Amino acid sequence: MRRPPRRSPTRAAWCLVVLACGPARDAGERPLDAPPAPEPANQRSAPVPDLPPRPAARNDAAVHHDDFARRVLYTWTTAAQVDALRRSRRLLVADGDVGERSPYLRALDRLLDVHPLAAILRDHPGHRRRRYAWTSPFATVLGLGERRYGDALVRIDLAEDALVVGFRPHAAEPFVLEDMSGEPVDLAVALAEPGRIGAVYHVRDGPDDPIAFREYVVCNESQVAAWSVATPDIRARLDAELALLESLRRGDLAHLPPAALRAPATAVWPTAPREPTPLDRWHARLAFDNERYRPTPANLAAVIAALRGYDPAGEPLVHRPEASFPEAPLAAP
């Protein structure tokens, strides 16, 4: 019996074989679905370290010469000035070339030939307009001179990266610098980057100063994160201070001996005592070491009455300036 002749595989059959087997791989080639090969040790990327968190700003109302950088400040003014502020949206308007020169500017005048930072703070276009402020509304509500500043209150929030200059004209080193966490910063940074200076902690407690006082000079609108008027936050701050003053009047400061009432506040301004008394804590919050702020029952009552006379001067407003710091160099003398 004859066998039928053998047939060669068809072209289609050969195609099926090729598709089933797939293309030939070079030696060492990995399948697509295989897990990735471990990276050679000498080619591995170094882990990216976590950035350290930004230190928290110091917002304590108590201030000392070795701990003065504060982000939140307050300034009393009149309802008419708040109205102008609402219209212009410009926080810093005072210019040293107009009217009587302030103690701050006169102190800079005397140091102009001694320290380059004095010229920057006095004459740089980005620092020529100013507003004076403090950390606590109650500490300036009665004013330093014969008249009060007004019944309206402005809150100022400096930028997180702002630097604050400490300026004590009678000190051996009149200028020091802190960041918002209270850490010291080399003065060379302020000289190289004057646009980072947001405010100056100015202290007058020298032998020639008839009344010791201190203030914050806000001098750079590009380092103001926000300013606000008539907000619930301002009202809450005033309510908290009223509660504190009422408590002090009836408690810790109610029965101070005459010698304590006459004690100068400047004794605790340089640095915080290790174990501060209630009177120490009172003095550390003060901007003015004058008779109006001796913690007598009558003076405390006057401060409370002035705070209760707060005038919001309109509807709540929070403004975030978009000012830029001018890079124009100082004019040649």
Side-chain angles (χ1 to χ4, degrees), residues 67-331:
D67 178 18
F68 55 82
R70 298 293 184 270
R71 188 179 178 199
V72 178
L73 305 171
Y74 297 89
T75 178
W76 290 99
T77 188
T78 64
Q81 289 176 337
V82 168
D83 185 55
L85 193 58
R86 291 177 183 275
R87 293 195 307 269
S88 69
R89 296 294 198 270
R90 187 170 186 176
L91 177 69
L92 307 183
V93 293
D95 189 318
D97 291 339
V98 179
E100 183 180 357
R101 292 182 73 74
S102 67
Y104 168 71
L105 290 176
R106 294 199 300 270
L108 291 177
D109 291 341
R110 290 191 290 271
L111 291 174
L112 207 61
D113 297 328
V114 178
H115 203 293
L117 190 55
I120 290 175
L121 294 174
R122 194 193 75 168
D123 297 331
H124 195 288
H127 290 295
R128 287 186 60 84
R129 297 188 181 276
R130 309 165 183 96
R131 188 176 286 266
Y132 300 86
W134 189 245
T135 58
S136 178
F138 88 75
T140 55
V141 68
L142 296 182
L144 177 61
E146 296 180 359
R147 294 186 300 175
R148 293 175 51 210
Y149 306 120
D151 293 320
L153 190 62
V154 181
R155 169 174 164 156
I156 302 170
D157 290 67
L158 296 177
E160 290 184 355
D161 63 344
L163 300 176
V164 180
V165 175
F167 178 32
R168 298 180 61 219
H170 296 285
E173 175 49 67
F175 296 106
V176 292
L177 193 64
E178 285 187 359
D179 64 18
M180 278 300 160
S181 67
E183 290 298 316
V185 179
D186 195 296
L187 280 177
V189 176
L191 296 174
E193 302 178 71
R196 291 190 60 192
I197 301 171
V200 178
Y201 168 64
H202 172 224
V203 182
R204 303 306 298 267
D205 59 355
D208 300 329
D209 296 312
I211 298 177
F213 73 92
R214 42 193 191 157
E215 61 192 354
Y216 285 89
V217 186
V218 182
C219 57
N220 178 4
E221 196 140 357
S222 73
Q223 283 294 328
V224 173
W227 56 260
S228 54
V229 294
T231 62
D233 284 343
I234 292 176
R235 178 73 265 179
R237 177 58 184 262
L238 292 173
D239 288 343
E241 293 203 347
L242 283 167
L244 172 65
L245 291 167
E246 290 285 5
S247 174
L248 292 174
R249 184 170 65 159
R250 292 177 170 81
D252 291 334
L253 302 183
H255 305 290
L256 293 174
L261 292 175
R262 294 192 300 269
T266 53
V268 300
W269 286 3
T271 192
R274 289 190 176 183
E275 297 181 1
T277 66
L279 184 60
D280 290 335
R281 289 192 288 269
W282 170 262
H283 286 159
R285 288 171 171 255
L286 296 185
F288 311 140
D289 191 12
N290 60 2
E291 288 296 326
R292 294 178 189 176
Y293 279 94
R294 301 286 183 253
T296 65
N299 284 348
L300 292 175
V303 175
I304 290 171
L307 288 182
R308 286 179 175 158
Y310 160 66
D311 177 10
E315 295 299 315
L317 170 65
V318 178
H319 180 67
R320 293 175 174 81
E322 296 181 355
S324 58
F325 188 78
E327 298 299 335
L330 292 174

